[in-house]
Amino acid sequence: MGANIVCVTSSGGLPIFSRKIGNVESLSFSTIGSLNGVHLFGKSKGLLLESTETENSTVVWKEYDDSLILICVALMNSKVIVEEIIETVYNALIVFVGSNEIKSFKNVERFKRSLRPAHPIIDCILECLDFGDRNTNLDLLKLVESILCREGKTLQIALDSFVEVIGTEFGCLTIENCVAAATDGWWSLAGIERKILSHVVRSSSHCTSFDMPIYLPLKSPTVPLRLVSVCLINPIRVNILCGSTPDLSVISQKSFQCWSPIVDTLKLAVQSHPRNIPSNLGFHDSINGFLLVNMSMGKFLLCTSLKSTKKDSKSCAETLKTFYYNAARIFEKNETLHQPLETYWVAEYHKLHAIKEGDDLICVLFHSGIPTPCMRLISRETLNIIVSQGELDWSRSSSK
Amino acid sequence: MDTKSDVKTTAVIQRDWHSTPEGDDFFKKFSSPAGRRLYGVLERPVIFDGIEEVTYKVLFIGKCGVGKSHTISHLAGLYCGYTKTDTIGIEVTDVYWPVKIWDKVIIFKLQCWEAGESSMKKYNHIVESCQDKVDLRVFVFSYTDTSSFTDLPAYISSTSDKDMSQVAASIVIGTRNGSKAVVSPSEIKNFKMSYGIEVYSLPQAYSGKMAESIPEIHPLMNDICEILWLRDQHYIMNNSVTV
Ligand SMILES: Nc1nc2c(ncn2[C@@H]2O[C@H](COP(=O)(O)OP(=O)(O)OP(=O)(O)O)[C@@H](O)[C@H]2O)c(=O)[nH]1
Ligand SMILES: [Mg+2]
């Protein structure tokens, strides 16, 4: 199970990059040529080739800025998902080189080289695909992962005053790459921007601090900003977007000054991981785990270590991911006349139920003993336990 | 003025401290066979509680792809399970290293800075923040890439200190020293003679993975700490003379 994504130039079909995930062969040079060829053939006849499907895979073509063509071939994933993958990858390219460079690069070799830092991010994006074969990462497309902890309010206050000291509006605090607090400015970024930035932070988390020039695909596609990230205590990082000042050493110093008074709070907050919710929140016995999505804020919370071992927790998360992609995502579409509000699956070892309330969507994994009609009640109750805890502030900005 | 020979001959750091029971205990506690871990700016290894710490800024410089990031991870004892790509912007990794100077244990915190070459060319603020108040410059080349070695003089002359009373120390590290090396020992010797900069070699690491091998990096880390320590001593001495 796996997928390939390639990028070629519009004029001439020169390969720019090729990445893959899973145990599939990389696309051969001649396959890439043919895929590009059919697209080109259509174009010469005034036809736009968007996608095609084979027995088990989906191929999607998309041309951007009359400059690049992205082609993705994925097994087991629907056209909608593959299109979103392509869109995210294209935006990730902008993050690294800016939109002007994509529209009008002169030297192909240099352009290829300047996109190399984007490769690990493209790999992260591909990990958001779901192959149902239990080998992928548990990341979801377009949504940032978050964590809820009792210390959330304190962290939020500290973060708000930290960004003020630095002189920016954009800051977020992550624990093991899950958002624990973020400023209003950070939430005001487009979901896809926040998601790509979270991939960038994750793939650079091997260093104490970094200072990276980046573009924002929607907010600032032509003027680079700085993404600065400082590890406070491993694995907590504070990440900000800012202009050319202050300098990295100053930001590190200020991080020390602002955060050291609450270092004990940070240490407590770390303990919420990997449960991702405070340990004193109890849920119904029939629940193995749940995935909570806030659609307007573009964030999710994955809680899979309620009682299970590490291995169970992983398979629980994978099952929820499959369920979300294949059943629950229909709630996010607004085009249907009749809005579905609930859906469920019954399998041999477990049952899954999803329900939508306002902007929130919860997918719950139950053990198979639960009577099917009871799921609705328990899902609702679970959602309520979290949303009603004002202290946890789950729906923070969406209420503003 | 000519203090260079003093620097080389005065050994202040106990070289075999790590194999004494005390040193062994230290290293066992902050490093495991699986490697060391990364520390944030608000923390440091617990076993160092109450011990004096000195902080230095170390800047790694060299041609794209010679192995600067790799070397820093190696010194920090961090695994990089994935293949890393070119560094863009600045990356800073704090490396902790305990040494025994005379009869006292001191923790060196080396802030290892690296910036991608393309970002250096494009962004002035990146160059400025890298070059600001550097204590040690580490020029890196790869034994398997001749031009990365022949470019060293250009890199050395392009870095300069604004404040002449606080000139940074320099060393050279050659990576991938193995059977495929194309830079010869005599070239290294000539380089050392003409620039008066010490050259250290790191072996070819295999399959991109590295095991924590403290014995291997001990001499290098101890030398780096000693160079920095002696530089401070000279600075203090010189300043107290002129006052
Ligand atoms: N086999 C082997 N590979 C190495 C060694 N040192 C570095 N590499 C690999 O060479 C590539 C480049 O190394 P980096 O450490 O990223 O080089 P760099 O100098 O930081 O490069 P830039 O950040 O682009 O300037 C990486 O894929 C490393 O895994 C080594 O000693 N042996
Ligand atoms: Mg590097």
Side-chain angles (χ1 to χ4, degrees):
Chain A
M1 290 299 135
N4 268 287
I5 187 161
V6 296
C7 175
V8 299
T9 59
S10 291
S11 58
L14 295 171
I16 300 292
F17 65 76
S18 165
R19 307 297 298 172
K20 68 160 188 132
I21 184 173
N23 53 350
V24 289
E25 299 266 315
S26 293
L27 297 181
S28 67
F29 196 72
S30 59
T31 310
I32 298 174
S34 315
L35 285 170
N36 182 47
V38 281
H39 185 260
L40 195 69
F41 178 76
K43 216 171 141 184
S44 70
K45 300 273 181 280
L47 289 171
L48 179 65
L49 177 56
E50 284 182 348
S51 70
T52 184
E53 246 144 273
T54 70
E55 206 173 312
N56 51 13
S57 47
T58 306
V59 188
V60 176
W61 289 260
K62 177 110 190 172
E63 181 168 15
Y64 287 98
D65 306 319
D66 287 326
S67 172
L68 296 178
I69 299 171
L70 287 165
I71 307 167
C72 183
V73 184
L75 286 156
M76 303 274 296
N77 279 272
S78 69
K79 178 180 164 225
V80 182
I81 304 268
V82 179
E83 282 172 344
E84 284 181 26
I85 289 280
I86 288 187
E87 187 198 344
T88 314
V89 168
Y90 167 68
N91 280 283
L93 303 184
I94 299 181
V95 165
F96 285 93
V97 298
S99 61
N100 286 341
E101 179 75 6
I102 291 183
K103 282 177 197 142
S104 56
F105 61 89
K106 306 249 154 38
N107 179 320
V108 174
E109 283 310 309
R110 200 173 309 142
F111 182 61
K112 263 162 94 168
R113 218 176 310 132
S114 67
L115 284 180
R116 234 166 29 196
H119 292 180
I121 309 305
I122 298 169
D123 296 347
C124 288
I125 296 167
L126 292 176
E127 283 183 355
C128 294
L129 285 164
D130 171 49
F131 299 106
D133 65 350
R134 313 276 166 260
N135 275 322
T136 42
N137 193 291
L138 305 163
D139 207 355
L140 301 181
L141 260 170
K142 289 188 170 173
L143 303 172
V144 290
E145 183 161 11
S146 54
I147 183 170
L148 290 176
C149 41
R150 288 263 165 252
E151 299 73 25
K153 277 261 161 73
T154 314
L155 300 180
Q156 184 69 45
I157 293 167
L159 179 67
D160 286 333
S161 68
F162 174 67
V163 293
E164 207 176 311
V165 167
I166 301 295
T168 172
E169 293 166 44
F170 308 99
C172 104
L173 186 81
T174 52
I175 303 177
E176 202 76 72
N177 216 37
C178 301
V179 176
T183 61
D184 291 342
W186 193 272
W187 287 118
S188 78
L189 299 174
I192 201 164
E193 294 174 331
R194 263 183 281 131
K195 183 66 193 185
I196 296 169
L197 295 183
S198 108
H199 287 313
V200 174
V201 171
R202 181 177 129 204
S203 68
S204 292
S205 56
H206 55 272
C207 44
T208 313
S209 58
F210 65 83
D211 179 344
M212 198 185 276
I214 55 117
Y215 298 83
L216 293 175
L218 300 157
K219 225 183 172 79
S220 183
T222 53
V223 180
L225 301 169
R226 292 162 67 208
L227 172 65
V228 179
S229 164
V230 178
C231 178
L232 299 174
I233 63 174
N234 201 353
I236 301 193
R237 306 190 74 96
V238 62
N239 316 292
I240 56 164
L241 285 175
C242 61
S244 59
T245 57
D247 144 87
L248 177 60
S249 322
V250 174
I251 296 176
S252 293
Q253 261 165 33
K254 301 266 190 226
S255 310
F256 184 84
Q257 286 160 8
C258 290
W259 296 93
S260 59
I262 61 159
V263 65
D264 291 332
T265 311
L266 293 172
K267 283 180 184 157
L268 283 174
V270 173
Q271 291 172 9
S272 291
H273 188 83
R275 200 178 143 101
N276 297 346
I277 48 163
S279 54
N280 62 344
L281 286 191
F283 297 95
H284 196 273
D285 244 11
S286 58
I287 298 182
N288 287 335
F290 62 84
L291 167 70
L292 175 60
V293 176
N294 183 297
M295 293 176 289
S296 73
M297 291 173 78
K299 66 175 185 179
F300 72 94
L301 176 81
L302 188 60
C303 176
T304 56
S305 39
L306 286 172
K307 50 191 161 199
S308 41
T309 60
K310 208 165 182 179
K311 191 165 152 264
D312 290 342
S313 152
K314 181 141 199 286
S315 85
C316 170
E318 286 156 344
T319 311
L320 281 164
K321 178 175 177 180
T322 304
F323 178 62
Y324 169 73
Y325 274 126
N326 291 288
R329 265 186 129 226
I330 49 160
F331 298 139
E332 294 178 10
K333 282 200 215 113
N334 287 323
E335 62 231 32
T336 41
L337 194 57
H338 302 286
Q339 280 283 317
L341 295 172
E342 271 181 278
T343 184
Y344 70 96
W345 278 2
V346 175
E348 194 175 351
Y349 300 107
H350 46 247
K351 292 183 183 178
L352 289 137
H353 178 256
I355 189 162
K356 183 186 158 186
E357 287 197 351
D359 285 332
D360 291 318
L361 161 67
I362 191 166
C363 304
V364 185
L365 180 75
F366 296 92
H367 64 65
S368 58
I370 178 114
T372 305
C374 294
M375 295 197 290
R376 166 186 300 162
L377 198 72
I378 300 172
S379 296
R380 225 177 237 150
E381 180 189 288
T382 309
L383 177 61
N384 247 317
I385 292 176
I386 295 165
V387 177
S388 66
Q389 302 268 324
E391 182 191 11
L392 295 180
D393 220 6
W394 166 254
S395 333
R396 179 172 188 270
S397 295
S398 60
S399 60
K400 282 188 182 169
Chain B
M1 191 58 214
D2 185 17
T3 49
K4 200 163 260 156
S5 54
D6 292 343
V7 175
K8 288 273 145 12
T9 51
T10 338
V12 291
I13 287 179
Q14 282 189 29
R15 295 304 161 134
D16 51 0
W17 179 63
H18 60 277
S19 44
T20 66
E22 184 193 34
D24 186 51
D25 195 42
F26 256 99
F27 280 99
K28 277 215 182 91
K29 277 183 184 146
F30 98 112
S31 162
S32 74
R36 280 169 271 162
R37 79 170 181 89
L38 181 76
Y39 295 91
V41 294
L42 302 182
E43 55 175 354
R44 64 173 195 161
V46 196
I47 50 146
F48 297 160
D49 280 355
I51 300 177
E52 184 184 336
E53 176 180 300
V54 284
T55 304
Y56 295 97
K57 176 170 173 180
V58 182
L59 176 62
F60 286 69
I61 300 160
K63 191 181 156 186
C64 180
V66 290
K68 298 180 291 293
S69 304
H70 191 84
T71 303
I72 293 172
S73 307
H74 195 55
L75 299 183
L78 299 171
Y79 277 103
C80 35
Y82 48 95
T83 41
K84 276 201 272 179
T85 50
D86 316 19
T87 303
I88 53 163
I90 307 172
E91 289 184 357
V92 183
T93 309
D94 290 352
V95 179
Y96 287 92
W97 193 258
V99 294
K100 187 140 190 181
I101 295 181
W102 308 122
D103 57 350
K104 198 171 161 197
V105 178
I106 290 181
I107 311 301
F108 277 70
K109 176 177 170 183
L110 307 180
Q111 298 177 323
C112 297
W113 287 57
E114 183 203 347
E117 201 157 41
S118 60
S119 320
M120 294 264 254
K121 281 187 186 138
K122 245 164 115 182
Y123 302 101
N124 213 19
H125 72 265
I126 290 185
V127 180
E128 278 171 13
S129 54
C130 284
Q131 302 290 3
D132 184 45
K133 300 197 190 78
V134 180
D135 294 299
L136 173 69
R137 292 201 182 90
V138 178
F139 296 96
V140 185
F141 73 95
S142 166
Y143 272 96
T144 56
D145 174 0
T146 312
S147 71
S148 72
F149 179 72
T150 51
D151 281 353
L152 285 180
Y155 279 107
I156 292 170
S157 61
S158 72
T159 54
S160 62
D161 296 279
K162 278 189 218 121
D163 181 357
M164 288 314 285
S165 68
Q166 283 223 40
V167 176
S170 300
I171 62 166
V172 171
I173 294 180
T175 63
R176 300 186 180 96
N177 188 16
S179 54
K180 293 201 183 105
V182 291
V183 179
S184 70
S186 66
E187 284 174 283
I188 301 289
K189 204 173 143 206
N190 286 340
F191 175 86
K192 281 196 216 179
M193 297 250 286
S194 36
Y195 288 89
I197 300 178
E198 195 55 55
V199 179
Y200 296 86
S201 302
L202 289 176
Q204 167 82 41
Y206 293 101
S207 66
K209 253 196 155 182
M210 44 183 178
E212 172 77 325
S213 50
I214 292 261
E216 202 177 279
I217 60 166
H218 247 288
L220 172 58
M221 285 303 286
N222 284 340
D223 275 9
I224 290 178
C225 294
E226 187 160 279
I227 289 168
L228 289 164
W229 184 260
L230 290 174
R231 178 174 163 273
D232 276 0
Q233 301 306 307
H234 287 306
Y235 179 73
I236 293 168
M237 262 169 46
N238 289 345
N239 276 18
S240 53
V241 169
T242 50
V243 163

